[in-house]
Amino acid sequence: MFDFTDRDLKEPHGIRMIGAPFDGTVSFRPGARFGPAAIRDASDGVESYSPYLDAELEAVHYADSGDLELPMGNVETVLSIIREAVDDCLNDNAVPFLLGGEHLASLPAIEAVHEKYPNLVVIQLDAHADQRDDYLGVELSHACVMRRVSEFLGDENIRQLGIRSGTKYEYDLMKGFGTLTTFKEEDLDELVEWVADRPVYLTVDLDVFDPAYLPGTGTPEPGGIDWWTFQRFIKAMTDVDIVGLDVVELAPQLDSSACSSVLAAKCVREMLLVAAK
Ligand code: MN
Ligand code: MN
């Protein structure tokens, strides 16, 4: 059992959790604004010890800065508030761990981390490509977030896992850039080799999981991964240097069993542990 809110920002900490309860651009079912609170709530039922990583969360110095206050209707202001919080975190030499919120919340976080680490690479877990130039004419949308990231990071510095939904245009782009990869053992080995000693931002859109395991998300997509696949991925990440991370797109009220929130909290535990290594 662990409770993020036990941790005080004044204590020295290596990882800072930042809640970004924003779902202003979601294309289908809203509700991701309730994600951070649901993850904290569900964490009460999750052990602090990970048998998979043989690691104890109590030994990790992390803090929770709570949820940002975000004006839902003003996307640019929301993004600038998130950016400022992540900048503050980086200035305090802590690793930012964003709790979404929808996937567009990752954009200012990745921008800020990239400014500190110019040779940053991004690893995206997601059902969706998020590589559209625009969605219904809007460029700042959760459906376009990785396209926006690509524009300043370069497509060669992004790898995408779990993608199973996108337009033909997006698939042509991703195949051309070679950003797509899989969770096969040999591909995870190759991914770690590709990262080498470069700093990594890990963005986990929870709809990468199959809706059977995580129905509580705005844009569910059949054909997703299970817990064990995620676990193998996380284990592979123990060998890379994670300098920023997020978990996004949990829409807790879409799963009346609350199991989606528990799964999300367990992901957060594993990610905290692997980022602290
Ligand atoms: Mn996404
Ligand atoms: Mn997605």
Side-chain angles (χ1 to χ4, degrees), residues 63-77:
D64 186 358
S65 60
D67 285 357
L68 300 169
E69 277 194 82
L70 303 171
M72 200 62 64
N74 190 325
V75 175
E76 289 189 5
T77 305

Side-chain angles (χ1 to χ4, degrees), residues 133-154:
D133 277 329
D134 68 87
Y135 182 72
L136 305 179
V138 176
E139 292 183 355
L140 289 176
S141 158
H142 78 152
C144 314
V145 60
M146 294 312 292
R147 191 78 238 118
R148 298 290 85 78
V149 169
S150 295
E151 284 165 354
F152 63 82
L153 196 73

Side-chain angles (χ1 to χ4, degrees), residues 155-256:
D155 300 283
E156 68 281 10
N157 296 316
I158 294 174
R159 287 293 180 95
Q160 303 177 275
L161 291 84
I163 312 299
R164 55 193 185 273
S165 175
T167 62
K168 182 171 185 330
Y169 168 79
E170 289 178 292
Y171 269 88
D172 286 346
L173 267 185
M174 296 185 296
K175 284 178 192 160
F177 294 135
T179 61
L180 285 170
T181 188
T182 79
F183 291 96
K184 285 184 198 148
E185 216 60 65
E186 62 267 30
D187 287 345
L188 291 179
D189 289 345
E190 195 275 331
L191 178 68
V192 172
E193 270 173 46
W194 171 79
V195 169
D197 56 0
R198 292 181 291 177
V200 174
Y201 187 101
L202 173 59
T203 179
V204 176
D205 181 333
L206 289 164
D207 63 30
V208 72
F209 284 97
D210 193 86
Y213 306 108
L214 195 133
T217 191
T219 323
E221 188 68 40
I225 64 168
D226 59 14
W227 172 260
W228 298 105
T229 305
F230 180 76
Q231 195 55 60
R232 281 195 297 106
F233 167 79
I234 279 294
K235 208 146 200 170
M237 290 296 102
T238 52
D239 296 328
V240 307
D241 178 22
I242 296 174
V243 297
L245 61 173
D246 63 57
V247 161
V248 297
E249 298 285 354
L250 173 69
Q253 79 282 25
L254 294 174
D255 175 5
S256 58

